[in-house]
Amino acid sequence: MSRKKYELFKRLAGLLMAIGIVCTSGAQVNELPYLNNRAPLQPLQFLELPIGSIVPEGWLREMLVRQKNGTTGKLDQLCPQVMGARNGWLGGDGDQWERGPYWIDGLLPLAYLLKDRELIAKVKPWVEWSLNSLQPDGYFGPAKDYPSEKGIQRDNSRDWWPKMVMLKVLKQYYDATSDQRVIQLMTAYFRYQLKTLPQHPLDHWTFWARYRAGDNLMVVLWLYNITGDAFLLDLADLIHKQTFDYTHAFLNTDLLSRAGSIHCVNLAQGIKEPVIYYQRKPDASYLHAVDKGFDDLRKYNGLANGLFGGDEALHGNDPVFGSELCTAVEMMFSLESILRVTGAVTYADHLEQVAFNALPAQIDEQFMNRQYYQQTNQVMVTRHMRNFSVDHDGADICYGLLTGYACCTSNMHQGWPKFTQNLWYATADKGLAALVYAPSIVTAKVADGTGVTFKEQTNYPFDESIRFVLETTARKAIQFPFYLRVPGWCGEGSIKINGAPYQKEKGNAVVKIDREWKNGDVVTLELPMRIRKHTWQQNAVSIQRGPLTYALKIGAEKKWVTNTMDPVENGASYFEVRPLTPWNYGLPNFSEAQLNEHFKVEQSDRIAKYPWTLSTVPISIKATGKRFKRWQLYNESAGPLPYSVTYGLHLDKEDPITLVPYGATQLRVAQFPVY
């Protein structure tokens, strides 16, 4: 990173210090209706809204309803051995570790976002048992280990790591209900942590907590903003000290360029920790480290879906290496957490890239079957040992309830609910910000506490236009700022207010509209989407348009398999997908100007309720390509990418081909050789 860019981070640090309401130590920063950081923590510009303030609409609501009707709403019935009454987080002698908290970490926000009484009732026993498990010394959660039993994790009950997940659950529960028992439990538990961590550090039971303690740190700082208890700052420092030093690793080591150096989910979760701690110690090096970390992660391991090669160890950037589903949802949560602190457009862009490409591709349309790993170039989904660093009997990319490893079955549920919760933010200057886009409605307080509602009407990410309609019962005009993001991929966005041109803005910017607003005002944001290309391993290219990555449309047949070999480990059944049409196409070596001239976008005027399948996706790109005759299967995956461009390629004739959004595919090529 250049010195100039580093100086920009230093100026950002100064800006963040200047933003917000000045307060004395111990006084809550809450002249606002929403919680900001107390002194001496760094004030924030973008503030979380309570669960329920944001209502999903359109395709996003359909996605959440499918979660309710799929595994998220039924996991206790589908996996009773793990999620039934024996679970340790319900007081039983069964699974004592992460899987129960993982599930509730997604089920709880889903329940309150949908205002669904049935799901809320399903959440409550887990919350109540956790609150009632508080011990006199401040410990909470399962406390007894049991002998090994196939299919469940009955040991390490006192490990720090599963409590970190349940702390996130309880924070969200408090945001939804204001139940003061949460504050009481956390205060007691954090005193217990401060007393116990010196003798039993984060990696005392397992190594997971040492890499994932940024989640613990987030909740400690959140509680400090509510109570002002000074001991929480001491605990924050202790947790940071015991956490794996991501700042040093990103700035001074080869961690991200060395295969096998770190577990992929640890990295996806832990990458936010320096930014979280930056709120406590506002040193620009923490921001610089995370920015460099993302740059290096893309350079050495990046993939066209927004993720990185990690199956389970960090593996590199070959598009047939795997990306774990837990990586996708944890990377999304990390990006959401970093975005709230920095407000940087690049993190919002990256969040949308993962959400709109990797996430819908890895879970089927009924939200009933998922892959443990996905491949960016995925041309055959079968049970077969592939070139992964960790292989689970060849089942890792098959779509099933338990294929590969069961952690993702429990953890995948947080992705879309938390994405929804981070579409909108309150701001420190008593306004609202839309930094991530999807159809939704937000109701919040602005200015002097006046309630307003914005309806975000859009088919984004498939469409270029986003319309915001303001509703308020206020009799007088209301002065408040409204912030909009112009993504980095957009050459120039344009804003209209009530049909009149207001402002044009180059990409990679947040626009502040500070004016008097009245009921019925309409803001229209146009984000022109041109076809772009990115270069990857072996000089292969990917095709992007807006936040969507496009992939080769491959005809496919699905086959269900009854699993008699290892049903406990990999589920009673799963499905495979095999190609019916050729997959080994490359693209012409066009410039971006030529791509936009020769490739044609075809778009439907209507969008299906669920647009993430080949039969319902509303947009495609008509292109041309040639088959690379010597690019064939290897271990039932696409073989090594032909180097682009090499002498003496054996190519077939040029054919018309169709590119479709990556998120709608189960078979695909998304990183193409060129000719």
Side-chain angles (χ1 to χ4, degrees), residues 297-304 308-310 315-321 376 536-538 641 671:
L297 188 58
R298 185 201 184 280
K299 179 179 180 180
Y300 297 109
N301 304 276
L303 300 167
F308 55 90
H315 199 172
N317 55 11
D318 192 307
V320 298
F321 292 161
T376 307
W536 304 90
Q537 187 231 36
Q538 303 296 340
L641 270 169
Q671 292 178 210

mmCIF file with all atom_site columns, all heavy atoms in Angstrom, residues 297-304 308-310 315-321 376 536-538 641 671:
data_model
loop_
_atom_site.group_PDB
_atom_site.id
_atom_site.type_symbol
_atom_site.label_atom_id
_atom_site.label_alt_id
_atom_site.label_comp_id
_atom_site.label_asym_id
_atom_site.label_entity_id
_atom_site.label_seq_id
_atom_site.pdbx_PDB_ins_code
_atom_site.Cartn_x
_atom_site.Cartn_y
_atom_site.Cartn_z
_atom_site.occupancy
_atom_site.B_iso_or_equiv
_atom_site.pdbx_formal_charge
_atom_site.auth_seq_id
_atom_site.auth_comp_id
_atom_site.auth_asym_id
_atom_site.auth_atom_id
_atom_site.pdbx_PDB_model_num
ATOM 1   N N   . LEU A 1 297 ? -5.254  -10.869 0.528   1.00 0.00 ? 297 LEU A N   1
ATOM 2   C CA  . LEU A 1 297 ? -6.123  -12.037 0.432   1.00 0.00 ? 297 LEU A CA  1
ATOM 3   C C   . LEU A 1 297 ? -6.628  -12.210 -0.995  1.00 0.00 ? 297 LEU A C   1
ATOM 4   O O   . LEU A 1 297 ? -6.643  -13.319 -1.538  1.00 0.00 ? 297 LEU A O   1
ATOM 5   C CB  . LEU A 1 297 ? -7.301  -11.886 1.395   1.00 0.00 ? 297 LEU A CB  1
ATOM 6   C CG  . LEU A 1 297 ? -8.221  -13.089 1.575   1.00 0.00 ? 297 LEU A CG  1
ATOM 7   C CD1 . LEU A 1 297 ? -7.450  -14.306 2.059   1.00 0.00 ? 297 LEU A CD1 1
ATOM 8   C CD2 . LEU A 1 297 ? -9.358  -12.752 2.531   1.00 0.00 ? 297 LEU A CD2 1
ATOM 9   N N   . ARG A 1 298 ? -6.995  -11.121 -1.622  1.00 0.00 ? 298 ARG A N   1
ATOM 10  C CA  . ARG A 1 298 ? -7.440  -11.211 -3.011  1.00 0.00 ? 298 ARG A CA  1
ATOM 11  C C   . ARG A 1 298 ? -6.270  -11.574 -3.927  1.00 0.00 ? 298 ARG A C   1
ATOM 12  O O   . ARG A 1 298 ? -6.410  -12.413 -4.823  1.00 0.00 ? 298 ARG A O   1
ATOM 13  C CB  . ARG A 1 298 ? -8.052  -9.897  -3.485  1.00 0.00 ? 298 ARG A CB  1
ATOM 14  C CG  . ARG A 1 298 ? -8.644  -10.008 -4.888  1.00 0.00 ? 298 ARG A CG  1
ATOM 15  C CD  . ARG A 1 298 ? -8.797  -8.667  -5.582  1.00 0.00 ? 298 ARG A CD  1
ATOM 16  N NE  . ARG A 1 298 ? -9.451  -8.819  -6.874  1.00 0.00 ? 298 ARG A NE  1
ATOM 17  C CZ  . ARG A 1 298 ? -8.863  -9.215  -7.995  1.00 0.00 ? 298 ARG A CZ  1
ATOM 18  N NH1 . ARG A 1 298 ? -7.566  -9.524  -8.001  1.00 0.00 ? 298 ARG A NH1 1
ATOM 19  N NH2 . ARG A 1 298 ? -9.535  -9.320  -9.121  1.00 0.00 ? 298 ARG A NH2 1
ATOM 20  N N   . LYS A 1 299 ? -5.113  -10.971 -3.691  1.00 0.00 ? 299 LYS A N   1
ATOM 21  C CA  . LYS A 1 299 ? -3.964  -11.193 -4.571  1.00 0.00 ? 299 LYS A CA  1
ATOM 22  C C   . LYS A 1 299 ? -3.522  -12.643 -4.579  1.00 0.00 ? 299 LYS A C   1
ATOM 23  O O   . LYS A 1 299 ? -3.250  -13.217 -5.642  1.00 0.00 ? 299 LYS A O   1
ATOM 24  C CB  . LYS A 1 299 ? -2.815  -10.295 -4.126  1.00 0.00 ? 299 LYS A CB  1
ATOM 25  C CG  . LYS A 1 299 ? -1.539  -10.455 -4.942  1.00 0.00 ? 299 LYS A CG  1
ATOM 26  C CD  . LYS A 1 299 ? -0.458  -9.501  -4.443  1.00 0.00 ? 299 LYS A CD  1
ATOM 27  C CE  . LYS A 1 299 ? 0.824   -9.648  -5.250  1.00 0.00 ? 299 LYS A CE  1
ATOM 28  N NZ  . LYS A 1 299 ? 1.879   -8.718  -4.759  1.00 0.00 ? 299 LYS A NZ  1
ATOM 29  N N   . TYR A 1 300 ? -3.468  -13.268 -3.426  1.00 0.00 ? 300 TYR A N   1
ATOM 30  C CA  . TYR A 1 300 ? -2.895  -14.612 -3.326  1.00 0.00 ? 300 TYR A CA  1
ATOM 31  C C   . TYR A 1 300 ? -3.939  -15.728 -3.253  1.00 0.00 ? 300 TYR A C   1
ATOM 32  O O   . TYR A 1 300 ? -3.620  -16.887 -3.544  1.00 0.00 ? 300 TYR A O   1
ATOM 33  C CB  . TYR A 1 300 ? -1.995  -14.703 -2.088  1.00 0.00 ? 300 TYR A CB  1
ATOM 34  C CG  . TYR A 1 300 ? -0.807  -13.783 -2.147  1.00 0.00 ? 300 TYR A CG  1
ATOM 35  C CD1 . TYR A 1 300 ? -0.724  -12.656 -1.329  1.00 0.00 ? 300 TYR A CD1 1
ATOM 36  C CD2 . TYR A 1 300 ? 0.238   -14.017 -3.036  1.00 0.00 ? 300 TYR A CD2 1
ATOM 37  C CE1 . TYR A 1 300 ? 0.376   -11.804 -1.380  1.00 0.00 ? 300 TYR A CE1 1
ATOM 38  C CE2 . TYR A 1 300 ? 1.331   -13.168 -3.099  1.00 0.00 ? 300 TYR A CE2 1
ATOM 39  C CZ  . TYR A 1 300 ? 1.391   -12.065 -2.270  1.00 0.00 ? 300 TYR A CZ  1
ATOM 40  O OH  . TYR A 1 300 ? 2.478   -11.217 -2.333  1.00 0.00 ? 300 TYR A OH  1
ATOM 41  N N   . ASN A 1 301 ? -5.174  -15.393 -2.867  1.00 0.00 ? 301 ASN A N   1
ATOM 42  C CA  . ASN A 1 301 ? -6.177  -16.438 -2.648  1.00 0.00 ? 301 ASN A CA  1
ATOM 43  C C   . ASN A 1 301 ? -7.552  -16.101 -3.213  1.00 0.00 ? 301 ASN A C   1
ATOM 44  O O   . ASN A 1 301 ? -8.474  -16.895 -3.094  1.00 0.00 ? 301 ASN A O   1
ATOM 45  C CB  . ASN A 1 301 ? -6.345  -16.700 -1.140  1.00 0.00 ? 301 ASN A CB  1
ATOM 46  C CG  . ASN A 1 301 ? -5.040  -17.066 -0.458  1.00 0.00 ? 301 ASN A CG  1
ATOM 47  O OD1 . ASN A 1 301 ? -4.628  -18.214 -0.467  1.00 0.00 ? 301 ASN A OD1 1
ATOM 48  N ND2 . ASN A 1 301 ? -4.378  -16.074 0.134   1.00 0.00 ? 301 ASN A ND2 1
ATOM 49  N N   . GLY A 1 302 ? -7.701  -14.916 -3.817  1.00 0.00 ? 302 GLY A N   1
ATOM 50  C CA  . GLY A 1 302 ? -9.016  -14.417 -4.180  1.00 0.00 ? 302 GLY A CA  1
ATOM 51  C C   . GLY A 1 302 ? -9.682  -15.171 -5.312  1.00 0.00 ? 302 GLY A C   1
ATOM 52  O O   . GLY A 1 302 ? -9.031  -15.732 -6.204  1.00 0.00 ? 302 GLY A O   1
ATOM 53  N N   . LEU A 1 303 ? -11.024 -15.174 -5.282  1.00 0.00 ? 303 LEU A N   1
ATOM 54  C CA  . LEU A 1 303 ? -11.852 -15.837 -6.277  1.00 0.00 ? 303 LEU A CA  1
ATOM 55  C C   . LEU A 1 303 ? -12.934 -14.882 -6.752  1.00 0.00 ? 303 LEU A C   1
ATOM 56  O O   . LEU A 1 303 ? -13.278 -13.913 -6.069  1.00 0.00 ? 303 LEU A O   1
ATOM 57  C CB  . LEU A 1 303 ? -12.476 -17.103 -5.693  1.00 0.00 ? 303 LEU A CB  1
ATOM 58  C CG  . LEU A 1 303 ? -11.485 -18.174 -5.207  1.00 0.00 ? 303 LEU A CG  1
ATOM 59  C CD1 . LEU A 1 303 ? -12.201 -19.229 -4.378  1.00 0.00 ? 303 LEU A CD1 1
ATOM 60  C CD2 . LEU A 1 303 ? -10.749 -18.809 -6.390  1.00 0.00 ? 303 LEU A CD2 1
ATOM 61  N N   . ALA A 1 304 ? -13.514 -15.169 -7.892  1.00 0.00 ? 304 ALA A N   1
ATOM 62  C CA  . ALA A 1 304 ? -14.443 -14.238 -8.532  1.00 0.00 ? 304 ALA A CA  1
ATOM 63  C C   . ALA A 1 304 ? -15.771 -14.110 -7.803  1.00 0.00 ? 304 ALA A C   1
ATOM 64  O O   . ALA A 1 304 ? -16.559 -13.217 -8.113  1.00 0.00 ? 304 ALA A O   1
ATOM 65  C CB  . ALA A 1 304 ? -14.696 -14.674 -9.976  1.00 0.00 ? 304 ALA A CB  1
ATOM 66  N N   . PHE A 1 308 ? -12.397 -16.669 -1.033  1.00 0.00 ? 308 PHE A N   1
ATOM 67  C CA  . PHE A 1 308 ? -11.006 -17.040 -1.242  1.00 0.00 ? 308 PHE A CA  1
ATOM 68  C C   . PHE A 1 308 ? -10.860 -18.545 -1.103  1.00 0.00 ? 308 PHE A C   1
ATOM 69  O O   . PHE A 1 308 ? -11.720 -19.214 -0.496  1.00 0.00 ? 308 PHE A O   1
ATOM 70  C CB  . PHE A 1 308 ? -10.097 -16.307 -0.249  1.00 0.00 ? 308 PHE A CB  1
ATOM 71  C CG  . PHE A 1 308 ? -10.473 -16.510 1.206   1.00 0.00 ? 308 PHE A CG  1
ATOM 72  C CD1 . PHE A 1 308 ? -9.940  -17.556 1.948   1.00 0.00 ? 308 PHE A CD1 1
ATOM 73  C CD2 . PHE A 1 308 ? -11.347 -15.636 1.834   1.00 0.00 ? 308 PHE A CD2 1
ATOM 74  C CE1 . PHE A 1 308 ? -10.281 -17.738 3.283   1.00 0.00 ? 308 PHE A CE1 1
ATOM 75  C CE2 . PHE A 1 308 ? -11.685 -15.811 3.167   1.00 0.00 ? 308 PHE A CE2 1
ATOM 76  C CZ  . PHE A 1 308 ? -11.153 -16.859 3.897   1.00 0.00 ? 308 PHE A CZ  1
ATOM 77  N N   . GLY A 1 309 ? -9.787  -19.081 -1.654  1.00 0.00 ? 309 GLY A N   1
ATOM 78  C CA  . GLY A 1 309 ? -9.540  -20.514 -1.560  1.00 0.00 ? 309 GLY A CA  1
ATOM 79  C C   . GLY A 1 309 ? -9.204  -20.903 -0.133  1.00 0.00 ? 309 GLY A C   1
ATOM 80  O O   . GLY A 1 309 ? -8.179  -20.511 0.406   1.00 0.00 ? 309 GLY A O   1
ATOM 81  N N   . GLY A 1 310 ? -10.088 -21.700 0.464   1.00 0.00 ? 310 GLY A N   1
ATOM 82  C CA  . GLY A 1 310 ? -9.879  -22.154 1.837   1.00 0.00 ? 310 GLY A CA  1
ATOM 83  C C   . GLY A 1 310 ? -10.725 -23.373 2.103   1.00 0.00 ? 310 GLY A C   1
ATOM 84  O O   . GLY A 1 310 ? -11.942 -23.253 2.320   1.00 0.00 ? 310 GLY A O   1
ATOM 85  N N   . HIS A 1 315 ? -5.745  -21.861 0.924   1.00 0.00 ? 315 HIS A N   1
ATOM 86  C CA  . HIS A 1 315 ? -5.256  -22.797 -0.099  1.00 0.00 ? 315 HIS A CA  1
ATOM 87  C C   . HIS A 1 315 ? -4.712  -22.130 -1.351  1.00 0.00 ? 315 HIS A C   1
ATOM 88  O O   . HIS A 1 315 ? -3.948  -22.736 -2.094  1.00 0.00 ? 315 HIS A O   1
ATOM 89  C CB  . HIS A 1 315 ? -6.374  -23.777 -0.473  1.00 0.00 ? 315 HIS A CB  1
ATOM 90  C CG  . HIS A 1 315 ? -5.897  -25.014 -1.131  1.00 0.00 ? 315 HIS A CG  1
ATOM 91  N ND1 . HIS A 1 315 ? -6.705  -26.091 -1.409  1.00 0.00 ? 315 HIS A ND1 1
ATOM 92  C CD2 . HIS A 1 315 ? -4.678  -25.385 -1.588  1.00 0.00 ? 315 HIS A CD2 1
ATOM 93  C CE1 . HIS A 1 315 ? -6.010  -27.053 -1.991  1.00 0.00 ? 315 HIS A CE1 1
ATOM 94  N NE2 . HIS A 1 315 ? -4.777  -26.645 -2.113  1.00 0.00 ? 315 HIS A NE2 1
ATOM 95  N N   . GLY A 1 316 ? -5.117  -20.908 -1.645  1.00 0.00 ? 316 GLY A N   1
ATOM 96  C CA  . GLY A 1 316 ? -4.660  -20.298 -2.881  1.00 0.00 ? 316 GLY A CA  1
ATOM 97  C C   . GLY A 1 316 ? -5.825  -19.910 -3.766  1.00 0.00 ? 316 GLY A C   1
ATOM 98  O O   . GLY A 1 316 ? -6.990  -19.983 -3.370  1.00 0.00 ? 316 GLY A O   1
ATOM 99  N N   . ASN A 1 317 ? -5.515  -19.529 -5.017  1.00 0.00 ? 317 ASN A N   1
ATOM 100 C CA  . ASN A 1 317 ? -6.526  -18.906 -5.867  1.00 0.00 ? 317 ASN A CA  1
ATOM 101 C C   . ASN A 1 317 ? -6.941  -19.733 -7.080  1.00 0.00 ? 317 ASN A C   1
ATOM 102 O O   . ASN A 1 317 ? -7.480  -19.193 -8.044  1.00 0.00 ? 317 ASN A O   1
ATOM 103 C CB  . ASN A 1 317 ? -6.036  -17.531 -6.335  1.00 0.00 ? 317 ASN A CB  1
ATOM 104 C CG  . ASN A 1 317 ? -4.679  -17.606 -7.035  1.00 0.00 ? 317 ASN A CG  1
ATOM 105 O OD1 . ASN A 1 317 ? -4.193  -18.686 -7.348  1.00 0.00 ? 317 ASN A OD1 1
ATOM 106 N ND2 . ASN A 1 317 ? -4.070  -16.458 -7.268  1.00 0.00 ? 317 ASN A ND2 1
ATOM 107 N N   . ASP A 1 318 ? -6.726  -21.033 -7.041  1.00 0.00 ? 318 ASP A N   1
ATOM 108 C CA  . ASP A 1 318 ? -7.211  -21.883 -8.126  1.00 0.00 ? 318 ASP A CA  1
ATOM 109 C C   . ASP A 1 318 ? -8.735  -21.981 -8.028  1.00 0.00 ? 318 ASP A C   1
ATOM 110 O O   . ASP A 1 318 ? -9.276  -22.277 -6.953  1.00 0.00 ? 318 ASP A O   1
ATOM 111 C CB  . ASP A 1 318 ? -6.593  -23.281 -8.015  1.00 0.00 ? 318 ASP A CB  1
ATOM 112 C CG  . ASP A 1 318 ? -6.818  -24.123 -9.259  1.00 0.00 ? 318 ASP A CG  1
ATOM 113 O OD1 . ASP A 1 318 ? -7.983  -24.257 -9.687  1.00 0.00 ? 318 ASP A OD1 1
ATOM 114 O OD2 . ASP A 1 318 ? -5.831  -24.649 -9.811  1.00 0.00 ? 318 ASP A OD2 1
ATOM 115 N N   . PRO A 1 319 ? -9.467  -21.756 -9.119  1.00 0.00 ? 319 PRO A N   1
ATOM 116 C CA  . PRO A 1 319 ? -10.933 -21.731 -9.024  1.00 0.00 ? 319 PRO A CA  1
ATOM 117 C C   . PRO A 1 319 ? -11.583 -23.079 -8.770  1.00 0.00 ? 319 PRO A C   1
ATOM 118 O O   . PRO A 1 319 ? -12.816 -23.134 -8.640  1.00 0.00 ? 319 PRO A O   1
ATOM 119 C CB  . PRO A 1 319 ? -11.359 -21.165 -10.390 1.00 0.00 ? 319 PRO A CB  1
ATOM 120 C CG  . PRO A 1 319 ? -10.225 -21.464 -11.303 1.00 0.00 ? 319 PRO A CG  1
ATOM 121 C CD  . PRO A 1 319 ? -8.986  -21.381 -10.458 1.00 0.00 ? 319 PRO A CD  1
ATOM 122 N N   . VAL A 1 320 ? -10.819 -24.162 -8.682  1.00 0.00 ? 320 VAL A N   1
ATOM 123 C CA  . VAL A 1 320 ? -11.410 -25.430 -8.257  1.00 0.00 ? 320 VAL A CA  1
ATOM 124 C C   . VAL A 1 320 ? -11.118 -25.732 -6.795  1.00 0.00 ? 320 VAL A C   1
ATOM 125 O O   . VAL A 1 320 ? -11.576 -26.745 -6.266  1.00 0.00 ? 320 VAL A O   1
ATOM 126 C CB  . VAL A 1 320 ? -10.949 -26.613 -9.138  1.00 0.00 ? 320 VAL A CB  1
ATOM 127 C CG1 . VAL A 1 320 ? -11.397 -26.409 -10.569 1.00 0.00 ? 320 VAL A CG1 1
ATOM 128 C CG2 . VAL A 1 320 ? -9.460  -26.840 -9.053  1.00 0.00 ? 320 VAL A CG2 1
ATOM 129 N N   . PHE A 1 321 ? -10.371 -24.863 -6.123  1.00 0.00 ? 321 PHE A N   1
ATOM 130 C CA  . PHE A 1 321 ? -10.243 -25.005 -4.676  1.00 0.00 ? 321 PHE A CA  1
ATOM 131 C C   . PHE A 1 321 ? -11.575 -24.611 -4.030  1.00 0.00 ? 321 PHE A C   1
ATOM 132 O O   . PHE A 1 321 ? -12.358 -23.842 -4.594  1.00 0.00 ? 321 PHE A O   1
ATOM 133 C CB  . PHE A 1 321 ? -9.115  -24.135 -4.131  1.00 0.00 ? 321 PHE A CB  1
ATOM 134 C CG  . PHE A 1 321 ? -7.735  -24.586 -4.553  1.00 0.00 ? 321 PHE A CG  1
ATOM 135 C CD1 . PHE A 1 321 ? -6.658  -23.720 -4.488  1.00 0.00 ? 321 PHE A CD1 1
ATOM 136 C CD2 . PHE A 1 321 ? -7.499  -25.869 -5.016  1.00 0.00 ? 321 PHE A CD2 1
ATOM 137 C CE1 . PHE A 1 321 ? -5.387  -24.111 -4.866  1.00 0.00 ? 321 PHE A CE1 1
ATOM 138 C CE2 . PHE A 1 321 ? -6.227  -26.290 -5.403  1.00 0.00 ? 321 PHE A CE2 1
ATOM 139 C CZ  . PHE A 1 321 ? -5.168  -25.403 -5.328  1.00 0.00 ? 321 PHE A CZ  1
ATOM 140 N N   . THR A 1 376 ? -15.500 -22.166 -7.535  1.00 0.00 ? 376 THR A N   1
ATOM 141 C CA  . THR A 1 376 ? -15.820 -21.076 -8.455  1.00 0.00 ? 376 THR A CA  1
ATOM 142 C C   . THR A 1 376 ? -16.010 -21.619 -9.866  1.00 0.00 ? 376 THR A C   1
ATOM 143 O O   . THR A 1 376 ? -16.926 -21.208 -10.572 1.00 0.00 ? 376 THR A O   1
ATOM 144 C CB  . THR A 1 376 ? -14.709 -20.016 -8.421  1.00 0.00 ? 376 THR A CB  1
ATOM 145 O OG1 . THR A 1 376 ? -14.487 -19.625 -7.063  1.00 0.00 ? 376 THR A OG1 1
ATOM 146 C CG2 . THR A 1 376 ? -15.083 -18.799 -9.223  1.00 0.00 ? 376 THR A CG2 1
ATOM 147 N N   . TRP A 1 536 ? -7.423  -13.054 -13.065 1.00 0.00 ? 536 TRP A N   1
ATOM 148 C CA  . TRP A 1 536 ? -7.147  -13.949 -11.943 1.00 0.00 ? 536 TRP A CA  1
ATOM 149 C C   . TRP A 1 536 ? -5.969  -14.868 -12.280 1.00 0.00 ? 536 TRP A C   1
ATOM 150 O O   . TRP A 1 536 ? -5.197  -14.610 -13.196 1.00 0.00 ? 536 TRP A O   1
ATOM 151 C CB  . TRP A 1 536 ? -8.408  -14.771 -11.617 1.00 0.00 ? 536 TRP A CB  1
ATOM 152 C CG  . TRP A 1 536 ? -9.596  -13.911 -11.342 1.00 0.00 ? 536 TRP A CG  1
ATOM 153 C CD1 . TRP A 1 536 ? -10.507 -13.468 -12.252 1.00 0.00 ? 536 TRP A CD1 1
ATOM 154 C CD2 . TRP A 1 536 ? -9.978  -13.343 -10.090 1.00 0.00 ? 536 TRP A CD2 1
ATOM 155 N NE1 . TRP A 1 536 ? -11.449 -12.683 -11.645 1.00 0.00 ? 536 TRP A NE1 1
ATOM 156 C CE2 . TRP A 1 536 ? -11.155 -12.582 -10.320 1.00 0.00 ? 536 TRP A CE2 1
ATOM 157 C CE3 . TRP A 1 536 ? -9.468  -13.407 -8.791  1.00 0.00 ? 536 TRP A CE3 1
ATOM 158 C CZ2 . TRP A 1 536 ? -11.804 -11.896 -9.297  1.00 0.00 ? 536 TRP A CZ2 1
ATOM 159 C CZ3 . TRP A 1 536 ? -10.120 -12.725 -7.778  1.00 0.00 ? 536 TRP A CZ3 1
ATOM 160 C CH2 . TRP A 1 536 ? -11.258 -11.981 -8.032  1.00 0.00 ? 536 TRP A CH2 1
ATOM 161 N N   . GLN A 1 537 ? -5.905  -15.952 -11.563 1.00 0.00 ? 537 GLN A N   1
ATOM 162 C CA  . GLN A 1 537 ? -4.851  -16.944 -11.737 1.00 0.00 ? 537 GLN A CA  1
ATOM 163 C C   . GLN A 1 537 ? -4.787  -17.409 -13.193 1.00 0.00 ? 537 GLN A C   1
ATOM 164 O O   . GLN A 1 537 ? -5.823  -17.564 -13.851 1.00 0.00 ? 537 GLN A O   1
ATOM 165 C CB  . GLN A 1 537 ? -5.141  -18.132 -10.792 1.00 0.00 ? 537 GLN A CB  1
ATOM 166 C CG  . GLN A 1 537 ? -4.044  -19.170 -10.751 1.00 0.00 ? 537 GLN A CG  1
ATOM 167 C CD  . GLN A 1 537 ? -4.596  -20.554 -10.974 1.00 0.00 ? 537 GLN A CD  1
ATOM 168 O OE1 . GLN A 1 537 ? -5.516  -20.755 -11.736 1.00 0.00 ? 537 GLN A OE1 1
ATOM 169 N NE2 . GLN A 1 537 ? -4.014  -21.527 -10.301 1.00 0.00 ? 537 GLN A NE2 1
ATOM 170 N N   . GLN A 1 538 ? -3.559  -17.612 -13.709 1.00 0.00 ? 538 GLN A N   1
ATOM 171 C CA  . GLN A 1 538 ? -3.316  -18.029 -15.092 1.00 0.00 ? 538 GLN A CA  1
ATOM 172 C C   . GLN A 1 538 ? -3.861  -17.021 -16.111 1.00 0.00 ? 538 GLN A C   1
ATOM 173 O O   . GLN A 1 538 ? -4.141  -17.384 -17.258 1.00 0.00 ? 538 GLN A O   1
ATOM 174 C CB  . GLN A 1 538 ? -3.919  -19.422 -15.357 1.00 0.00 ? 538 GLN A CB  1
ATOM 175 C CG  . GLN A 1 538 ? -3.418  -20.525 -14.440 1.00 0.00 ? 538 GLN A CG  1
ATOM 176 C CD  . GLN A 1 538 ? -1.927  -20.792 -14.599 1.00 0.00 ? 538 GLN A CD  1
ATOM 177 O OE1 . GLN A 1 538 ? -1.327  -20.449 -15.602 1.00 0.00 ? 538 GLN A OE1 1
ATOM 178 N NE2 . GLN A 1 538 ? -1.327  -21.394 -13.585 1.00 0.00 ? 538 GLN A NE2 1
ATOM 179 N N   . LEU A 1 641 ? -6.458  -24.707 -15.272 1.00 0.00 ? 641 LEU A N   1
ATOM 180 C CA  . LEU A 1 641 ? -6.791  -23.687 -16.258 1.00 0.00 ? 641 LEU A CA  1
ATOM 181 C C   . LEU A 1 641 ? -5.696  -23.558 -17.310 1.00 0.00 ? 641 LEU A C   1
ATOM 182 O O   . LEU A 1 641 ? -4.519  -23.448 -16.965 1.00 0.00 ? 641 LEU A O   1
ATOM 183 C CB  . LEU A 1 641 ? -6.958  -22.336 -15.566 1.00 0.00 ? 641 LEU A CB  1
ATOM 184 C CG  . LEU A 1 641 ? -8.344  -21.956 -15.053 1.00 0.00 ? 641 LEU A CG  1
ATOM 185 C CD1 . LEU A 1 641 ? -8.241  -20.722 -14.179 1.00 0.00 ? 641 LEU A CD1 1
ATOM 186 C CD2 . LEU A 1 641 ? -9.291  -21.705 -16.216 1.00 0.00 ? 641 LEU A CD2 1
ATOM 187 N N   . GLN A 1 671 ? -14.316 -18.297 -13.982 1.00 0.00 ? 671 GLN A N   1
ATOM 188 C CA  . GLN A 1 671 ? -12.995 -17.776 -14.312 1.00 0.00 ? 671 GLN A CA  1
ATOM 189 C C   . GLN A 1 671 ? -12.550 -18.470 -15.591 1.00 0.00 ? 671 GLN A C   1
ATOM 190 O O   . GLN A 1 671 ? -12.260 -19.671 -15.603 1.00 0.00 ? 671 GLN A O   1
ATOM 191 C CB  . GLN A 1 671 ? -12.025 -17.986 -13.152 1.00 0.00 ? 671 GLN A CB  1
ATOM 192 C CG  . GLN A 1 671 ? -12.399 -17.121 -11.952 1.00 0.00 ? 671 GLN A CG  1
ATOM 193 C CD  . GLN A 1 671 ? -11.525 -17.293 -10.725 1.00 0.00 ? 671 GLN A CD  1
ATOM 194 O OE1 . GLN A 1 671 ? -11.977 -17.123 -9.603  1.00 0.00 ? 671 GLN A OE1 1
ATOM 195 N NE2 . GLN A 1 671 ? -10.266 -17.618 -10.916 1.00 0.00 ? 671 GLN A NE2 1
#
